[in-house]
Amino acid sequence: MSEMATAMTVAVEADVVAELSPQALQTVMYARDLRFLLEREARKTLQLEAANRQLERYAEDLKRAWQEERQRREEVDRAYYDTLLRLSRAAEYRDGETGFHMQRMSKYVRVMGIYYGLPENEVDELAAAAPLHDLGKIGVPDRVLLDPGPLLPQDREIMERHTIIGASLLEGSSSRLMELGRKIALTHHERWDGSGYPQGLHGDEIPLAGRIVMLCDQYDALRSLRPYKPPFCHDTVCRILLEGDDRTKKEHFDPRILDAFRRLHQEFASIFSASADPT
Amino acid sequence: MKTILLVEDEGDLRYIIRTTLERPDVRILEAADGGQALEIAQRERLDLVLLDWMMPGVSGIAVGETLRANPATADVPIIMVTARSHQSDRDQGRALGAVAYLVKPFSPLELLDAVEEALR
């Protein structure tokens, strides 16, 4: 006990020794040991408090680092979504669209996703990935892409390849968002009755995201001006989608999604007029 | 259960030391002089002897020598407790094989340490 030895080297003063009885002197020794123990306890308490403050510092630093990390992660997420949006705009500008189509697509699919009861993060991913549906148009030659039509059969085939091109551009990514974008690009022209392209998938073979984007894309295309058609009003488009016309059949759509549209059509109208292309 | 023999002629100090050392796993026997101490040592199996140096009658040093001479008690550790602190006393205590040498007034913490060490 080296601390003890140090304490004991403090000699009891000679005159005190002379005046006190041996019993009193022994009591003094007890008192001195008690004081030594108390002081040691006090030092230990101080050390513990210092250690505690140190721990609090660590806890604070950890918390701050965590918050900064989360902030960085959110920034990366935002930048990622932003990049995807710009990538899909590049495709849109090729065929003279303005980018408003993509904004509306995000909003339509969001409304549908919420109606379908998808979890919030899946709705966000669907809204972020939907604008990628026509990315493959980047690979379609201007001659075909800008042709006011009607397209020759071989040109139609080239045009329809934008689904496969888009899917191959987005293929092989570990990102869930990219994978969702790939599915949408590949399947957004498939039809419920199997008459769509490129694979002629039937019914539930078509991913839900593809079925949703397909209907939203149809609504938006019918509302918009095309080289081969005038823009139709909301009521006309509803009638075409819900009852069919010479080109569009209601069998093209997943009945549940068509039913959702029947309930949500007013929202589609609001979305279209809120971010319509400038005329 | 360890057995300590406390040999101290001063009653108050005996009481103080007993109070300092008392704990559930230790039995403390008291002797007020050297004669009593030797008597107890003959019939009890001891683990430690706390031995006052200066006592009337049979002195502490005599008790120590007697314990060492008897094969039954030759190996019992001894802690010397004394008012004297001359080097020659220490040497005598060491010659007896004392494991510790405490000077009155002793530090109770040193006493506890020495006893702990001796009983280990």
Side-chain angles (χ1 to χ4, degrees), chain A residues 26-91:
Chain A
Q26 186 59 62
T27 308
V28 167
M29 293 302 281
Y30 272 80
R32 213 166 59 153
D33 276 8
L34 180 61
R35 197 183 65 190
F36 167 79
L37 288 174
L38 289 174
E39 282 170 1
R40 196 172 60 178
E41 281 309 303
R43 273 200 307 280
K44 270 188 193 158
T45 304
L46 280 178
Q47 283 170 359
L48 277 177
E49 282 170 356
N52 204 34
R53 279 194 297 276
Q54 188 63 59
L55 271 178
E56 280 170 9
R57 277 297 302 277
Y58 272 90
E60 267 172 43
D61 281 6
L62 188 65
K63 198 170 81 180
R64 202 173 49 240
W66 183 79
Q67 279 168 344
E68 283 171 3
E69 173 57 27
R70 194 182 58 175
Q71 216 172 342
R72 260 197 295 277
R73 213 167 44 228
E74 281 170 2
E75 274 170 29
V76 168
D77 279 354
R78 268 199 302 279
Y80 194 59
Y81 277 54
D82 190 51
T83 305
L84 279 185
L85 194 64
R86 283 157 201 279
L87 181 62
S88 34
R89 264 185 210 166

Coordinates of all heavy atoms in Angstrom, one line a residue, chain A residues 26-91:
Chain A
Q26 N -3.2 6.9 20.0 CA -3.7 5.9 19.2 C -5.0 6.4 18.5 O -5.2 6.1 17.3 CB -4.0 4.6 20.0 CG -4.5 3.4 19.1 CD -3.4 3.0 18.1 OE1 -2.3 2.7 18.5 NE2 -3.8 3.2 16.8
T27 N -5.8 7.1 19.2 CA -7.0 7.7 18.7 C -6.7 8.7 17.5 O -7.4 8.7 16.5 CB -7.8 8.5 19.7 OG1 -8.0 7.6 20.8 CG2 -9.2 8.9 19.2
V28 N -5.6 9.4 17.7 CA -5.1 10.4 16.7 C -4.8 9.6 15.4 O -5.2 10.0 14.3 CB -3.9 11.1 17.1 CG1 -3.2 11.9 15.9 CG2 -4.3 12.2 18.2
M29 N -4.2 8.4 15.6 CA -3.8 7.6 14.4 C -5.1 7.1 13.7 O -5.1 7.1 12.4 CB -3.0 6.4 14.8 CG -1.7 6.7 15.4 SD -0.7 7.6 14.2 CE -0.1 6.3 13.1
Y30 N -6.1 6.8 14.4 CA -7.4 6.4 13.8 C -8.0 7.5 13.0 O -8.4 7.4 11.9 CB -8.4 5.8 14.8 CG -8.2 4.3 15.1 CD1 -7.2 3.9 15.9 CD2 -9.1 3.4 14.4 CE1 -7.0 2.5 16.1 CE2 -8.9 2.1 14.6 CZ -7.9 1.6 15.4 OH -7.7 0.3 15.6
A31 N -8.0 8.7 13.7 CA -8.5 9.9 13.0 C -7.8 10.2 11.7 O -8.4 10.6 10.7 CB -8.4 11.1 14.0
R32 N -6.4 10.0 11.8 CA -5.6 10.3 10.6 C -5.9 9.4 9.5 O -6.0 9.8 8.3 CB -4.1 10.3 11.0 CG -3.3 11.3 10.2 CD -2.0 11.5 10.8 NE -1.3 10.2 10.8 CZ 0.1 10.1 10.8 NH1 0.8 11.2 10.7 NH2 0.6 9.0 10.8
D33 N -6.0 8.1 9.8 CA -6.4 7.1 8.8 C -7.7 7.4 8.2 O -7.9 7.2 7.0 CB -6.3 5.7 9.4 CG -4.9 5.1 9.4 OD1 -4.0 5.9 9.1 OD2 -4.7 3.9 9.7
L34 N -8.7 7.8 9.1 CA -10.0 8.1 8.6 C -9.9 9.2 7.6 O -10.6 9.2 6.5 CB -10.9 8.4 9.8 CG -12.3 8.8 9.4 CD1 -13.0 7.6 8.7 CD2 -13.1 9.2 10.6
R35 N -9.2 10.3 8.0 CA -9.0 11.4 7.1 C -8.4 11.0 5.7 O -8.8 11.4 4.7 CB -8.2 12.5 7.7 CG -8.4 13.9 7.1 CD -7.5 14.9 7.7 NE -6.0 14.6 7.4 CZ -5.0 15.2 8.0 NH1 -5.3 16.2 8.9 NH2 -3.8 14.9 7.8
F36 N -7.4 10.1 5.9 CA -6.7 9.6 4.6 C -7.7 8.9 3.7 O -7.8 9.1 2.5 CB -5.6 8.7 5.0 CG -5.1 7.9 3.9 CD1 -4.2 8.4 2.9 CD2 -5.5 6.5 3.7 CE1 -3.7 7.7 1.9 CE2 -5.0 5.8 2.6 CZ -4.1 6.4 1.7
L37 N -8.6 8.1 4.4 CA -9.6 7.3 3.6 C -10.6 8.3 2.9 O -11.0 8.1 1.8 CB -10.3 6.3 4.5 CG -9.5 5.1 4.9 CD1 -10.3 4.3 5.9 CD2 -9.1 4.3 3.7
L38 N -11.0 9.3 3.7 CA -12.0 10.2 3.2 C -11.4 11.0 2.0 O -12.1 11.2 1.0 CB -12.4 11.2 4.3 CG -13.3 10.6 5.4 CD1 -13.6 11.6 6.5 CD2 -14.6 10.1 4.8
E39 N -10.1 11.4 2.2 CA -9.5 12.2 1.1 C -9.3 11.3 -0.2 O -9.5 11.7 -1.3 CB -8.1 12.7 1.5 CG -8.2 13.9 2.4 CD -6.9 14.3 3.0 OE1 -5.9 13.6 2.7 OE2 -6.9 15.3 3.8
R40 N -9.0 10.0 0.1 CA -8.9 9.1 -1.1 C -10.2 8.9 -1.8 O -10.3 8.9 -3.0 CB -8.3 7.7 -0.6 CG -7.8 6.9 -1.8 CD -7.1 5.7 -1.3 NE -8.0 4.8 -0.5 CZ -7.7 3.6 -0.1 NH1 -6.4 3.2 -0.2 NH2 -8.5 2.9 0.6
E41 N -11.3 8.8 -1.0 CA -12.6 8.7 -1.6 C -12.9 10.0 -2.4 O -13.5 9.9 -3.5 CB -13.7 8.5 -0.5 CG -13.8 7.1 0.1 CD -13.9 6.1 -1.0 OE1 -14.8 6.2 -1.9 OE2 -13.0 5.2 -1.1
A42 N -12.6 11.1 -1.8 CA -12.8 12.4 -2.5 C -12.1 12.4 -3.8 O -12.6 12.9 -4.9 CB -12.4 13.6 -1.6
R43 N -10.8 12.0 -3.8 CA -10.0 11.9 -5.1 C -10.7 11.0 -6.1 O -10.8 11.3 -7.3 CB -8.6 11.5 -4.8 CG -7.7 12.6 -4.4 CD -6.2 12.2 -4.7 NE -5.8 11.0 -4.0 CZ -5.5 10.9 -2.7 NH1 -5.5 11.9 -1.9 NH2 -5.2 9.7 -2.2
K44 N -11.1 9.8 -5.6 CA -11.8 8.9 -6.5 C -13.1 9.5 -7.1 O -13.3 9.3 -8.3 CB -12.2 7.6 -5.7 CG -11.1 6.6 -5.7 CD -11.6 5.3 -5.1 CE -10.5 4.3 -4.7 NZ -10.9 3.4 -3.7
T45 N -13.8 10.2 -6.2 CA -15.0 10.9 -6.7 C -14.7 11.8 -7.8 O -15.4 11.9 -8.9 CB -15.7 11.6 -5.6 OG1 -16.0 10.6 -4.5 CG2 -17.0 12.2 -6.0
L46 N -13.6 12.6 -7.6 CA -13.2 13.6 -8.7 C -12.8 12.9 -10.0 O -13.2 13.3 -11.0 CB -12.0 14.4 -8.2 CG -12.3 15.6 -7.2 CD1 -11.0 16.2 -6.8 CD2 -13.2 16.6 -7.9
Q47 N -12.1 11.8 -9.8 CA -11.7 11.0 -11.0 C -12.9 10.5 -11.7 O -13.0 10.5 -12.9 CB -10.8 9.9 -10.6 CG -9.4 10.3 -10.2 CD -8.5 9.2 -9.6 OE1 -9.1 8.1 -9.4 NE2 -7.3 9.4 -9.3
L48 N -13.9 10.0 -10.9 CA -15.1 9.5 -11.5 C -15.9 10.5 -12.3 O -16.4 10.3 -13.4 CB -16.0 8.8 -10.5 CG -15.7 7.4 -10.1 CD1 -16.6 6.9 -9.0 CD2 -15.8 6.5 -11.3
E49 N -15.9 11.7 -11.6 CA -16.6 12.8 -12.3 C -15.9 13.2 -13.6 O -16.6 13.5 -14.6 CB -16.7 14.0 -11.3 CG -17.8 13.9 -10.3 CD -17.7 14.9 -9.2 OE1 -16.8 15.8 -9.2 OE2 -18.6 14.9 -8.3
A50 N -14.6 13.2 -13.5 CA -13.8 13.6 -14.8 C -14.1 12.5 -15.8 O -14.3 12.9 -17.0 CB -12.3 13.6 -14.5
A51 N -14.1 11.3 -15.4 CA -14.4 10.2 -16.4 C -15.8 10.3 -17.0 O -16.0 10.1 -18.2 CB -14.2 8.8 -15.7
N52 N -16.7 10.7 -16.1 CA -18.1 10.9 -16.5 C -18.2 12.0 -17.6 O -18.9 11.9 -18.6 CB -18.9 11.2 -15.3 CG -20.4 10.8 -15.5 OD1 -20.7 9.8 -16.2 ND2 -21.3 11.6 -15.0
R53 N -17.5 13.1 -17.3 CA -17.5 14.2 -18.2 C -16.9 13.8 -19.6 O -17.4 14.1 -20.6 CB -16.7 15.4 -17.7 CG -17.5 16.3 -16.7 CD -16.9 17.6 -16.4 NE -15.6 17.5 -15.8 CZ -15.4 17.3 -14.5 NH1 -16.4 17.3 -13.7 NH2 -14.1 17.2 -14.0
Q54 N -15.8 13.0 -19.5 CA -15.2 12.5 -20.7 C -16.2 11.6 -21.5 O -16.3 11.8 -22.7 CB -14.0 11.6 -20.3 CG -13.1 11.2 -21.5 CD -12.6 12.4 -22.2 OE1 -11.8 13.2 -21.6 NE2 -12.9 12.6 -23.5
L55 N -16.9 10.8 -20.8 CA -17.9 10.0 -21.4 C -19.0 10.8 -22.1 O -19.5 10.5 -23.2 CB -18.6 9.0 -20.4 CG -17.9 7.7 -20.2 CD1 -18.6 6.9 -19.2 CD2 -17.8 6.9 -21.6
E56 N -19.4 11.9 -21.4 CA -20.4 12.8 -22.0 C -19.9 13.4 -23.2 O -20.7 13.6 -24.2 CB -20.8 13.8 -20.9 CG -21.8 13.3 -19.9 CD -22.0 14.3 -18.8 OE1 -21.5 15.5 -18.9 OE2 -22.7 14.0 -17.8
R57 N -18.6 13.8 -23.2 CA -18.1 14.3 -24.4 C -18.1 13.3 -25.6 O -18.5 13.7 -26.7 CB -16.6 14.7 -24.2 CG -16.4 16.1 -23.6 CD -16.9 17.2 -24.5 NE -16.3 17.2 -25.8 CZ -15.1 17.8 -26.0 NH1 -14.5 18.4 -25.1 NH2 -14.7 17.8 -27.3
Y58 N -17.8 12.1 -25.3 CA -17.9 11.1 -26.3 C -19.3 10.9 -26.8 O -19.5 10.8 -28.1 CB -17.4 9.7 -25.8 CG -15.9 9.5 -25.9 CD1 -15.0 9.9 -24.9 CD2 -15.3 8.9 -27.0 CE1 -13.7 9.8 -25.0 CE2 -14.0 8.7 -27.1 CZ -13.1 9.2 -26.1 OH -11.8 9.0 -26.2
A59 N -20.2 10.9 -25.9 CA -21.6 10.8 -26.3 C -22.1 11.9 -27.2 O -22.7 11.7 -28.2 CB -22.5 10.7 -25.1
E60 N -21.6 13.1 -26.9 CA -22.0 14.3 -27.7 C -21.4 14.2 -29.1 O -22.1 14.4 -30.1 CB -21.4 15.6 -27.0 CG -22.4 16.3 -26.1 CD -21.7 17.4 -25.4 OE1 -20.9 18.1 -26.0 OE2 -21.9 17.5 -24.1
D61 N -20.1 13.8 -29.1 CA -19.4 13.7 -30.4 C -20.1 12.7 -31.2 O -20.3 12.9 -32.4 CB -17.9 13.3 -30.2 CG -17.1 14.5 -29.8 OD1 -17.7 15.6 -29.6 OD2 -15.9 14.4 -29.7
L62 N -20.4 11.6 -30.6 CA -21.1 10.5 -31.3 C -22.4 10.9 -31.9 O -22.7 10.7 -33.1 CB -21.3 9.3 -30.4 CG -21.8 8.0 -31.0 CD1 -20.7 7.5 -32.0 CD2 -22.1 7.0 -30.0
K63 N -23.2 11.7 -31.1 CA -24.5 12.1 -31.6 C -24.3 13.1 -32.8 O -25.0 13.0 -33.8 CB -25.2 12.8 -30.4 CG -26.7 13.0 -30.6 CD -27.4 13.4 -29.4 CE -27.3 14.9 -29.2 NZ -28.0 15.4 -28.0
R64 N -23.3 14.0 -32.6 CA -23.1 15.0 -33.7 C -22.7 14.3 -35.0 O -23.1 14.6 -36.0 CB -22.0 16.0 -33.3 CG -22.2 17.3 -34.1 CD -21.3 18.4 -33.6 NE -19.9 18.0 -33.3 CZ -19.3 18.1 -32.2 NH1 -19.9 18.6 -31.1 NH2 -18.1 17.7 -32.0
A65 N -21.7 13.3 -34.8 CA -21.2 12.6 -36.0 C -22.4 11.9 -36.7 O -22.5 11.8 -37.9 CB -20.2 11.6 -35.6
W66 N -23.3 11.3 -35.8 CA -24.4 10.6 -36.4 C -25.3 11.5 -37.2 O -25.8 11.2 -38.3 CB -25.2 9.9 -35.3 CG -26.3 9.1 -35.8 CD1 -26.3 7.8 -36.3 CD2 -27.7 9.5 -35.8 NE1 -27.6 7.4 -36.7 CE2 -28.4 8.4 -36.3 CE3 -28.4 10.6 -35.3 CZ2 -29.8 8.5 -36.5 CZ3 -29.8 10.7 -35.5 CH2 -30.5 9.6 -36.1
Q67 N -25.6 12.7 -36.6 CA -26.5 13.7 -37.2 C -25.9 14.2 -38.6 O -26.5 14.3 -39.6 CB -26.7 14.9 -36.3 CG -27.8 14.6 -35.3 CD -27.9 15.6 -34.2 OE1 -26.9 16.4 -34.0 NE2 -28.9 15.7 -33.5
E68 N -24.5 14.4 -38.5 CA -23.8 14.9 -39.7 C -23.9 13.8 -40.8 O -24.1 14.1 -42.0 CB -22.4 15.2 -39.4 CG -22.3 16.6 -38.8 CD -20.8 16.8 -38.3 OE1 -20.0 16.0 -38.5 OE2 -20.6 17.9 -37.6
E69 N -23.7 12.5 -40.4 CA -23.8 11.4 -41.3 C -25.2 11.3 -41.9 O -25.3 11.1 -43.1 CB -23.4 10.1 -40.5 CG -23.5 8.8 -41.3 CD -22.8 8.8 -42.6 OE1 -21.7 9.6 -42.7 OE2 -23.2 8.2 -43.6
R70 N -26.2 11.5 -41.1 CA -27.5 11.3 -41.6 C -27.8 12.5 -42.6 O -28.4 12.2 -43.7 CB -28.5 11.4 -40.5 CG -29.9 11.0 -40.9 CD -30.9 11.1 -39.8 NE -31.0 12.5 -39.3 CZ -31.9 12.9 -38.4 NH1 -32.7 12.0 -37.8 NH2 -31.9 14.1 -38.0
Q71 N -27.3 13.7 -42.3 CA -27.5 14.8 -43.2 C -26.8 14.5 -44.5 O -27.4 14.8 -45.6 CB -26.9 16.0 -42.5 CG -27.6 17.3 -42.8 CD -27.0 18.4 -42.0 OE1 -26.3 18.2 -41.0 NE2 -27.3 19.7 -42.3
R72 N -25.6 14.0 -44.4 CA -24.9 13.7 -45.7 C -25.6 12.6 -46.5 O -25.7 12.8 -47.7 CB -23.5 13.1 -45.3 CG -22.4 14.2 -45.5 CD -21.0 13.5 -45.6 NE -20.7 12.9 -44.3 CZ -20.1 13.5 -43.3 NH1 -19.9 14.8 -43.3 NH2 -19.9 12.8 -42.2
R73 N -26.2 11.6 -45.8 CA -26.9 10.6 -46.5 C -28.1 11.2 -47.2 O -28.4 10.8 -48.3 CB -27.3 9.5 -45.5 CG -27.3 8.1 -46.1 CD -27.4 7.1 -45.0 NE -28.4 7.4 -44.0 CZ -28.2 7.4 -42.7 NH1 -27.1 7.0 -42.2 NH2 -29.2 7.7 -41.8
E74 N -28.8 12.1 -46.5 CA -30.0 12.7 -47.1 C -29.6 13.5 -48.4 O -30.3 13.5 -49.4 CB -30.7 13.6 -46.1 CG -31.6 12.8 -45.2 CD -32.1 13.6 -44.0 OE1 -31.8 14.8 -44.0 OE2 -32.8 13.0 -43.1
E75 N -28.4 14.2 -48.2 CA -27.9 15.0 -49.4 C -27.6 14.1 -50.6 O -28.0 14.4 -51.7 CB -26.6 15.8 -49.0 CG -27.0 17.1 -48.4 CD -25.7 17.8 -47.8 OE1 -24.6 17.5 -48.3 OE2 -25.9 18.5 -46.8
V76 N -27.0 13.0 -50.3 CA -26.6 12.0 -51.3 C -27.9 11.5 -52.0 O -28.0 11.4 -53.2 CB -25.8 10.8 -50.8 CG1 -25.7 9.7 -51.8 CG2 -24.4 11.3 -50.4
D77 N -28.9 11.2 -51.1 CA -30.2 10.7 -51.7 C -30.8 11.8 -52.6 O -31.3 11.5 -53.7 CB -31.2 10.4 -50.5 CG -30.9 9.1 -49.9 OD1 -30.1 8.3 -50.5 OD2 -31.6 8.7 -48.9
R78 N -30.8 13.0 -52.1 CA -31.4 14.1 -52.9 C -30.7 14.3 -54.2 O -31.3 14.4 -55.3 CB -31.4 15.4 -52.2 CG -32.6 15.7 -51.3 CD -32.8 17.2 -51.0 NE -31.6 17.7 -50.2 CZ -31.4 17.5 -48.9 NH1 -32.4 16.9 -48.2 NH2 -30.4 18.0 -48.3
A79 N -29.3 14.3 -54.2 CA -28.5 14.4 -55.4 C -28.8 13.3 -56.3 O -28.9 13.5 -57.6 CB -27.0 14.4 -55.0
Y80 N -29.0 12.1 -55.8 CA -29.3 10.9 -56.6 C -30.6 11.0 -57.3 O -30.7 10.8 -58.6 CB -29.3 9.7 -55.6 CG -29.2 8.4 -56.3 CD1 -28.2 8.0 -57.1 CD2 -30.2 7.4 -56.1 CE1 -28.1 6.8 -57.7 CE2 -30.2 6.2 -56.6 CZ -29.1 5.9 -57.4 OH -29.0 4.6 -58.0
Y81 N -31.7 11.4 -56.6 CA -33.0 11.6 -57.2 C -32.9 12.7 -58.3 O -33.4 12.6 -59.4 CB -34.0 12.0 -56.2 CG -34.6 10.9 -55.4 CD1 -33.8 9.9 -54.8 CD2 -36.0 10.7 -55.4 CE1 -34.4 8.9 -54.1 CE2 -36.6 9.6 -54.7 CZ -35.7 8.7 -54.0 OH -36.3 7.7 -53.3
D82 N -32.1 13.8 -57.9 CA -32.0 14.9 -58.8 C -31.3 14.5 -60.1 O -31.7 14.8 -61.2 CB -31.2 16.0 -58.1 CG -31.2 17.3 -58.9 OD1 -32.3 17.7 -59.3 OD2 -30.1 17.8 -59.2
T83 N -30.3 13.7 -60.0 CA -29.5 13.2 -61.2 C -30.4 12.3 -62.1 O -30.4 12.5 -63.3 CB -28.3 12.3 -60.7 OG1 -27.5 13.1 -59.8 CG2 -27.5 11.9 -61.9
L84 N -31.2 11.5 -61.4 CA -32.2 10.6 -62.2 C -33.1 11.5 -63.0 O -33.4 11.2 -64.2 CB -32.9 9.7 -61.3 CG -32.2 8.4 -60.8 CD1 -33.2 7.6 -60.0 CD2 -31.7 7.7 -62.0
L85 N -33.6 12.5 -62.3 CA -34.6 13.4 -63.0 C -34.0 14.1 -64.2 O -34.6 14.1 -65.3 CB -35.1 14.4 -62.0 CG -36.4 15.2 -62.4 CD1 -37.5 14.2 -62.5 CD2 -36.7 16.3 -61.4
R86 N -32.7 14.6 -64.0 CA -32.0 15.2 -65.2 C -31.7 14.2 -66.3 O -31.9 14.6 -67.5 CB -30.7 15.9 -64.7 CG -31.0 17.2 -63.9 CD -29.9 17.5 -63.0 NE -30.4 18.4 -61.9 CZ -30.5 19.7 -62.1 NH1 -30.2 20.3 -63.3 NH2 -31.0 20.5 -61.2
L87 N -31.4 13.0 -65.9 CA -31.1 12.0 -66.9 C -32.4 11.7 -67.7 O -32.3 11.6 -69.0 CB -30.7 10.7 -66.2 CG -30.4 9.5 -67.1 CD1 -29.2 9.8 -67.9 CD2 -30.1 8.3 -66.2
S88 N -33.5 11.6 -67.1 CA -34.8 11.4 -67.8 C -35.2 12.6 -68.7 O -35.7 12.4 -69.7 CB -35.9 10.9 -66.9 OG -35.8 11.6 -65.7
R89 N -34.8 13.8 -68.2 CA -35.1 15.0 -69.0 C -34.3 15.0 -70.3 O -34.8 15.4 -71.3 CB -34.8 16.2 -68.2 CG -36.0 16.8 -67.5 CD -35.6 18.1 -66.9 NE -36.5 18.3 -65.7 CZ -36.3 19.2 -64.8 NH1 -35.2 20.0 -64.8 NH2 -37.1 19.3 -63.8
A90 N -33.1 14.5 -70.2 CA -32.3 14.4 -71.4 C -33.0 13.6 -72.5 O -33.0 14.0 -73.7 CB -30.9 13.7 -71.1
A91 N -33.7 12.5 -72.1 CA -34.4 11.7 -73.0 C -35.6 12.5 -73.6 O -35.9 12.4 -74.8 CB -34.9 10.4 -72.4

